[in-house]
C-alpha cells in the first residue's frame, strides 16, 4: 500500500521522534530524515505526489551561526504546508527574511501562550480563556533564542510575555511555526495541534494502522530474506517478542531464536521465556546459559557505559558461538545469513543514532549497530521505525497474549544497569527477589477509580539496587544492610515520563515485604524524578 506521507526534517533534537509519534497517532505515515538532505533527494522523495507536508524539528543550535544547519530552501517551494517547531520556527523565519536573536530571558519548562489571529492551526484549540476572551495554551518551552522580526507575509500567531513572537503563520503558503514543543505531553493541546496540521491543513489520508501494517511488514521481510535463514536475539521483552512473532509469521521455521541468559534476568525469567516462546509461539529457541561468563567479565567494573559495553561485547561473543553452529547448517538447513533484532526508534534516538546523527548521545544500547558486522550476518530489524506503543499494537494484531505484549520494558543489559556500581551475584540475587515483590504487589493492588491494577497503570516499574548500606533495627538487634529504590513511571511514548503517584498503602506493603522477606535489605526508597531531567533507568 502506498501511504500519503509527512516528511520530518531532523535538526538533532532529542525529541524529534516524538513529532513522528504524534503524527502516527493521527494514523498518518511519516518519516524522519536528516535536515541536510540534498534538494535532489527531496525532489525524488516528492515525485510520487504522496508528500503532503513537511515538519521542521527543534535543535540545540543557534540558527544565526554560520556553522549550523538550515532547511533545504526547496521545501519552501514544494507547494505543501510546512510546520516549524522551536529551532524549526527560527530557521523558517531566518531563511524567509525574518530575524532571530539570542534571548535575554530563556524559557525552559511550562509556559502559558496567548493565541492571536484566528489561524487555521489554532482555531478552536485552547486550554482556557482570559477575562478578556483571549485563548490560552499550556505549553512546554525549551529555547534560548527567539524570533524578533517576522518574515514578509507572516502574521503573529502566538506570544508570551518573554517571547512576543511565539508563533507565526503565512496562511497563503501554508507555513506555520511555533516556538513551543507540541510533540511533548507537557503541551496539553499538542496532539490536537499536530493532528490539525497533518489532517486538516495538509489533508493527509489517515491510513497508518498496525493491523494493516502486518501485511506490508510480512511482505518486506519475505522479500528481504527470501529462502535464507535468520537468527533472532531473543531477550523475552516486548520488542524482541513482537519481532519474533512478526518474523515467524513471515518465514516460519527459517527463524531460529537464540536466548542468551546472562545471569542478570528477573526472578525465574529464563524459564518463563522458554515456556512463552517454545510453548506458546512454537518457535525454535536455543537457550545459551552464559551467566558465569558475564558476571566474571563485570567483576570490578562500576562505570555504567563500561558495563553496557562489556555486556554488549559478551553478548556478541556468545552469539558468535551460536551463529557459527547455525551457519554450519545442520538438519537440512542451509545456515543462517541474517541477524534479526528488536531494535525500535527510542533505542536509535537515545544512542545518538538517529538518521541525522546530530542528536547528543544519552546512553548506548547493546542492540544498535555493531553486531551484524562482527557476526558476518546481514541485519533484519523489522521494528526499527516503530515506537513502543506501536509495537504493542502490532503484537496484539499478531495475536500475542496480553501478558506478553503489555509486559513492562526490560533493558538489554538487564539487572546490570539496575545494580548501581559494580555487579555482583549477591547483589543480583537480592535485587531479583526485591523486584519480584514490587511487581507482584503492583499486580495485586487495584485503583478504585478504574479497577485496573497498578501494574497496568504504570508504563515501567522496577527496583534499583544501591551499593550503600544503612543502619536499621530488626527485633532487638542493629542491622547494617543494603538499600533499594523503587521506580515507577507513567508515559505514552517513553521519551518523556512522569513518576507514578502510587498509593501510600501500596508503597508501605512493598517496603514491609522487601525488608522482612529479603535478608540483606533494610531500607526502601521511592524515586520521584520525572523524565526529563532524569532518565527512566538509573544507568
Amino acid at each position: 500500500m502506498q501511504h500519503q506521507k509527512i516528511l520530518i526534517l531532523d535538526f538533532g533534537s532529542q525529541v524529534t521522534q516524538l513529532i513522528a509519534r504524534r503524527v502516527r497517532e493521527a494514523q498518518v505515515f511519516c518519516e524522519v530524515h536528516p535536515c541536510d538532505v540534498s534538494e535532489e533527494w527531496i525532489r525524488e522523495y516528492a515525485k510520487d505526489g504522496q508528500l503532503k507536508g513537511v515538519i521542521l524539528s527543534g535543535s540545540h543550535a543557534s540558527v544565526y551561526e554560520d556553522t549550523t544547519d538550515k532547511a533545504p530552501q526547496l521545501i519552501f517551494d514544494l507547494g505543501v504546508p510546512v510546520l516549524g517547531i522551536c529551532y524549526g520556527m527560527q530557521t523558517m523565519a531566518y531563511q524567509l527574511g525574518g530575524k532571530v536573536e539570542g534571548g535575554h530571558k530563556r524559557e525552559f519548562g511550562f509556559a502559558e501562550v496567548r493565541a492571536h489571529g484566528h489561524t487555521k492551526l489554532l482555531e478552536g484549540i485552547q486550554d482556557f480563556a482570559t477575562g478578556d476572551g483571549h485563548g490560552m495554551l499550556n505549553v512546554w518551552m525549551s529555547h534560548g533564542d527567539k524570533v524578533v522580526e517576522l518574515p514578509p507575509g507572516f502574521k503573529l500567531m502566538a506570544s508570551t510575555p518573554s517571547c512576543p513572537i511565539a508563533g507565526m503563520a503565512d496562511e497563503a503558503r501554508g507555513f506555520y511555526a511555533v516556538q513551543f514543543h507540541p510533540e511533548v505531553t507537557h503541551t496539553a493541546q499538542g496532539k490536537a495541534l499536530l493532528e490539525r496540521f497533518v489532517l486538516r491543513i495538509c489533508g493527509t489520508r489517515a491510513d497508518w494502522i498496525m493491523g494493516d501494517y502486518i501485511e506490508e511488514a510480512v511482505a518486506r521481510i519475505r522479500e528481504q530474506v527470501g529462502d535464507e535463514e535468520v537468527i533472532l536475539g531473543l531477550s523475552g521483552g516486548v520488542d524482541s517478542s513482537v519481532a519474533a512473532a512478526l518474523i515467524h509469521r513471515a518465514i516460519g521455521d527459517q527463524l531460529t531464536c537464540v536466548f542468551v541468559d546472562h545471569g542478570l534476568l528477573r526472578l525465574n525469567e529464563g524459564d518463563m521465556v522458554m515456556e512463552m516462546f517454545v510453548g506458546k509461539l512454537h518457535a525454535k529457541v536455543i537457550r545459551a546459559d552464559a551467566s558465569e561468563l558475564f558476571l566474571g567479565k563485570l567483576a570490578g567494573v562500576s562505570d555504567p557505559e563500561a558495563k553496557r559495553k562489556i555486556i554488549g561485547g559478551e553478548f556478541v561473543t556468545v552469539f558468535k558461538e551460536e551463529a557459527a553452529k547455525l551457519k554450519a547448517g545442520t538438519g537440512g538447513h542451509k545456515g543462517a545469513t541474517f541477524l534479526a533484532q528488536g531494535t525500535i526508534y527510542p533505542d536509535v534516538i537515545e544512542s545518538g543514532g538517529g538518521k541525522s546523527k546530530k542528536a547528543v548521545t544519552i546512553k548506548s544500547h547493546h542492540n544498535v549497530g555493531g553486531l551484524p558486522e562482527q557476526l558476518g550476518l546481514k541485519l533484519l530489524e523489522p521494528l526499527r521505525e516503530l515506537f513502543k506503543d506501536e509495537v504493542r499494537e502490532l503484537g496484539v494484531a499478531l495475536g500475542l497474549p496480553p501478558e506478553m505484549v503489555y509486559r513492562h520494558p526490560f533493558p538489554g543489559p538487564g539487572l546490570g544497569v539496575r545494580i548501581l556500581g559494580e555487579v555482583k551475584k549477591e547483589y543480583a540475587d537480592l535485587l531479583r527477589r526485591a523486584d519480584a515483590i514490587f511487581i507482584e504487589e503492583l499486580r495485586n493492588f487495584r485503583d478504585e477509580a478504574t479497577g485496573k491494577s497498578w501494574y497496568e497503570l504504570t508504563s515501567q516499574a522496577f527496583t534499583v539496587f544501591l551499593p550503600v548500606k544503612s543502619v536499621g533495627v530488626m527485633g532487638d538487634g542493629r542491622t547494617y544492610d543494603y538499600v533499594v529504590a523503587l521506580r515507577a513511571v507513567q508515559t505514552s511514548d517513553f521519551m518523556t515520563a512522569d513518576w507514578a503517584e502510587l498509593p501510600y498503602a501500596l508503597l508501605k506493603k512493598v517496603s514491609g515485604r522487601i525488608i522482612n522477606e529479603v535478608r540483606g535489605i533494610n531500607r526502601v526508597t521511592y524515586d520521584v524524578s520525572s523524565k526529563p531531567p532524569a532518565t527512566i533507568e538509573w544507568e
Side-chain angles (χ1 to χ4, degrees), residues 163-180:
C163 186
I165 304 177
M168 62 182 194
D170 179 345
E171 297 204 278
R173 290 187 286 178
F175 297 164
Y176 297 85
V178 292
Q179 187 57 66
F180 55 89

Side-chain angles (χ1 to χ4, degrees), residues 308-323:
R308 285 179 178 273
K309 286 183 171 66
I310 288 170
I311 292 169
E314 294 310 311
F315 183 81
V316 171
T317 298
V318 175
F319 233 96
K320 279 181 176 177
E321 295 174 358
E322 298 302 330

Side-chain angles (χ1 to χ4, degrees), residues 175-209:
F175 297 164
Y176 297 85
V178 292
Q179 187 57 66
F180 55 89
H181 287 268
E183 69 271 32
V184 302
T185 54
H186 301 76
T187 297
Q189 299 296 329
K191 181 179 179 181
L193 185 154
L194 287 168
E195 285 185 355
R196 173 73 58 81
F197 178 73
V198 299
L199 294 174
R200 178 173 161 186
I201 294 173
C202 296
T204 316
R205 182 173 58 238
D207 59 10
W208 178 249
I209 301 165

